[in-house]
Amino acid sequence: MTQAFTLSRQVEFNHCDPAGIVFYPRYFEMISSTVERFFADAIGHSWQDMLVNDMGTPTGSIDVRFRAPSRLGDWIDITLTVSRIGTSSAVLQFECTSAGETRFTGSITIVHANTTTAKSAPWPDAIRQKMAAYLSPPNT
């Protein structure tokens, strides 16, 4: 059975535009936070751990479909699964919901890369194995 990783957070004033809804670039920050927490909490290999070895997971691409606004004070859940693990990249699917309503969906391709040389590098076996527990079919 596929596992999913969920990060819950409340929409804060600093996330919102003057209309009191989340300003869309803030969602990208929230997606990044979810990926960071996924590696630290679910995989057990934080970005800090990677940086010690001059490694990181820069974004290769991101695709987001906004479906409904989130407002100041809303509690949102961003749920992440893995749809593909390549040699040195992975595609992560995400869905943001609040009170049962989908706020946005999408995918992000991350690349396991050396931060000094800016070259991709194969996923370490330990990380690959832990990520595999979150594999699911891609969203359609």
Side-chain angles (χ1 to χ4, degrees):
M1 180 162 181
T2 300
Q3 295 183 55
F5 176 80
T6 301
L7 182 66
S8 298
R9 68 180 314 151
Q10 190 170 31
V11 174
E12 299 171 344
F13 182 76
N14 63 302
H15 299 134
C16 297
D17 64 16
I21 63 173
V22 173
F23 182 46
Y24 76 92
R26 301 295 177 245
Y27 279 135
F28 291 97
E29 293 170 351
M30 293 178 198
I31 292 165
S32 180
S33 292
T34 303
V35 174
E36 182 174 359
R37 296 297 351 136
F38 170 70
F39 276 96
D41 301 341
I43 304 305
H45 197 73
S46 71
W47 284 355
Q48 181 179 1
D49 296 335
M50 289 184 211
L51 284 175
V52 168
N53 296 309
D54 296 324
M55 300 305 291
T57 57
T59 299
S61 68
I62 190 166
D63 180 49
V64 178
R65 170 74 169 106
F66 301 105
R67 301 184 181 275
S70 296
R71 300 186 183 283
L72 180 62
D74 286 353
W75 277 94
I76 59 174
D77 297 318
I78 303 175
T79 300
L80 179 153
T81 58
V82 178
S83 62
R84 186 183 71 75
I85 305 171
T87 302
S88 60
S89 66
V91 178
L92 311 176
Q93 300 291 325
F94 49 85
E95 179 180 25
C96 176
T97 60
S98 180
E101 178 183 44
T102 299
R103 301 299 172 86
F104 67 84
T105 58
S107 65
I108 184 170
T109 301
I110 58 172
V111 179
H112 186 248
N114 183 293
T115 58
T116 301
T117 65
K119 303 272 188 208
S120 64
W123 291 108
D125 289 338
I127 293 175
R128 175 184 294 284
Q129 289 173 0
K130 289 180 181 178
M131 287 173 61
Y134 293 85
L135 273 170
S136 68
N139 292 341
T140 55

